[in-house]
Amino acid sequence: MSTTTILGADGGPQERIFANKLMEMLAVPAFVLDTSCRVMIWNRACERLTGVPADEVLGTSEHWRSFYQDQRPTLADLLIQNRKDEAPALYNVTETDTHCGAQLCAESWCDMPRAGRRYLAADASPVYDDQQRLIAVVETLRDMTDEKLAQIALEQLATRDGLTGLANRRCFDDTLQAEWSRAMRQKQPLSLLMVDVDNFKAYNDANGHLGGDECLKRVAQAVASEMRANDLVARYGGEEFAVILPNQSLKGAAIVAERIRSRVEQLSLPSRFARDGRVTVSIGAATAIAASGTDASQLVATADAALYRAKHMGRNRISLPTAEPA
């Protein structure tokens, strides 16, 4: 790997060679760009991280190809070109210094042509000469893929029900509040279904907890199979599930509810406690037009009341409020 001087003119040749060699031998992946955004140094750790030999990028402005499929400025490019303000649109910016000579820190997923998809943390720092003129920018990199994947897994565990794999109650509560706020902003209807497995306590007592758990997993899959991409189905508690249907009218919610009821019935899970000998569900539906002075809890209460009516009327059916909201 060739060396390139990045020290000021007051440093002697030996010091400059040593500094360049030190940069190249760092265990931390790093590269250096000059003020024309050409690669001056591409150290060995950077070669290992990207799979790209230094000889392919030294003296060029093609370093972006090592990290992305499509052309995109690195943090070092943004600093050199005085385009720091664009960083938040391109990266998850974690830290910036508003003083002169700002350091720029960010994280992002990179679809690296030779190393695959990796999550990298990057820090770009300017280098000045004795007259405080910018002469280069050093960008160091850290592979955080394992940490990021672990974080995603933990986040999923925190919002998923361990038995069914559906969203849990916490996720439901957070999503309902978010969708209520969005429905208010966009003046759109928000519908909710409360789905309850009929006679489940008796079923669970007769078939044991393992049998009851398997029943709940099968029902959960049936409910989830009827969802659109932006719908949310959650395990609300015990044998009860909740379905959030953004921008869905009561008529549309009733159609979804009937599909869910029919899909569960078609599972043909044997149950001696049902009139037709198979596991069924009862569903209560509700729709609201969110407005100031209203609360998402009112939607839940209306759907719960509808579910109670469905149970009272004989189970294995859907129930709607007495009137659709204006």
Side-chain angles (χ1 to χ4, degrees), residues 15-276:
E15 288 90 343
R16 292 196 293 271
I17 292 173
F18 174 77
N20 293 327
K21 285 293 185 183
L22 182 63
M23 177 68 72
E24 291 172 355
M25 297 297 293
L26 278 177
V28 176
F31 63 89
V32 181
L33 303 185
D34 65 17
T35 54
S36 297
C37 295
R38 291 191 299 264
V39 179
M40 302 170 66
I41 290 178
W42 188 266
N43 75 359
R44 295 180 183 179
C46 199
E47 288 183 317
R48 291 192 293 270
L49 174 66
T50 63
V52 177
D55 291 343
E56 291 189 16
V57 291
L58 286 174
T60 77
S61 298
E62 301 295 302
H63 49 288
W64 63 267
R65 296 183 184 277
S66 303
F67 304 103
Y68 310 108
Q69 302 287 343
D70 301 317
Q71 188 166 4
R72 183 181 188 183
T74 63
L75 295 188
D77 293 304
L78 295 177
L79 278 187
I80 290 168
Q81 297 170 358
N82 196 27
R83 297 165 55 195
K84 290 183 296 181
D85 292 345
E86 298 178 29
L90 297 169
Y91 299 95
N92 176 23
V93 176
T94 57
E95 181 182 347
T96 57
D97 186 344
T98 56
H99 297 90
C100 180
Q103 183 184 47
L104 197 54
C105 306
E107 301 173 0
S108 69
W109 283 102
C110 299
D111 291 313
M112 303 164 71
R114 300 189 189 179
R117 185 167 173 80
R118 312 298 295 173
Y119 190 80
L120 302 183
D123 298 89
S125 303
V127 179
Y128 298 98
D129 64 13
D130 294 338
Q131 286 73 46
Q132 292 302 301
R133 293 175 299 193
L134 181 69
I135 58 173
V137 171
V138 179
E139 182 164 333
T140 58
L141 304 164
R142 184 158 61 98
D143 187 351
M144 296 178 60
T145 307
D146 291 343
E147 294 96 321
K148 187 64 175 178
L149 292 176
Q151 177 189 350
I152 292 172
L154 285 174
E155 289 173 351
Q156 289 177 338
L157 284 174
T159 59
R160 294 287 121 185
D161 173 60
L163 175 65
T164 64
L166 300 178
N168 61 16
R169 177 64 181 271
R170 172 186 171 186
C171 183
F172 167 81
D173 290 339
D174 291 344
T175 302
L176 182 61
Q177 291 301 324
E179 291 295 348
W180 185 265
S181 297
R182 182 163 67 173
M184 187 180 302
R185 291 194 307 270
Q186 299 178 354
K187 295 180 172 57
Q188 295 176 338
L190 179 64
S191 291
L192 178 67
L193 305 179
M194 300 302 289
V195 182
D196 190 82
V197 181
D198 295 326
N199 302 301
F200 183 74
K201 184 180 185 305
Y203 181 96
N204 197 55
D205 290 344
N207 293 277
H209 290 301
L210 291 179
D213 287 351
E214 182 61 26
C215 173
L216 290 177
K217 287 190 284 187
R218 295 286 302 279
V219 171
Q221 292 169 0
V223 176
S225 69
E226 296 297 337
M227 297 302 100
R228 302 171 300 176
N230 60 336
D231 298 335
L232 178 86
V233 55
R235 187 179 180 192
Y236 192 74
E239 68 274 20
E240 193 170 5
F241 304 92
V243 180
I244 300 174
L245 302 170
N247 194 22
Q248 183 70 276
S249 67
L250 185 60
K251 181 178 179 180
I255 293 172
V256 176
E258 176 55 28
R259 289 206 308 260
I260 291 172
R261 189 206 62 78
S262 177
R263 179 65 66 94
V264 173
E265 193 174 48
Q266 290 169 16
L267 292 175
S268 296
L269 297 175
S271 174
R272 60 187 175 88
F273 305 100
R275 282 180 299 183
D276 62 353

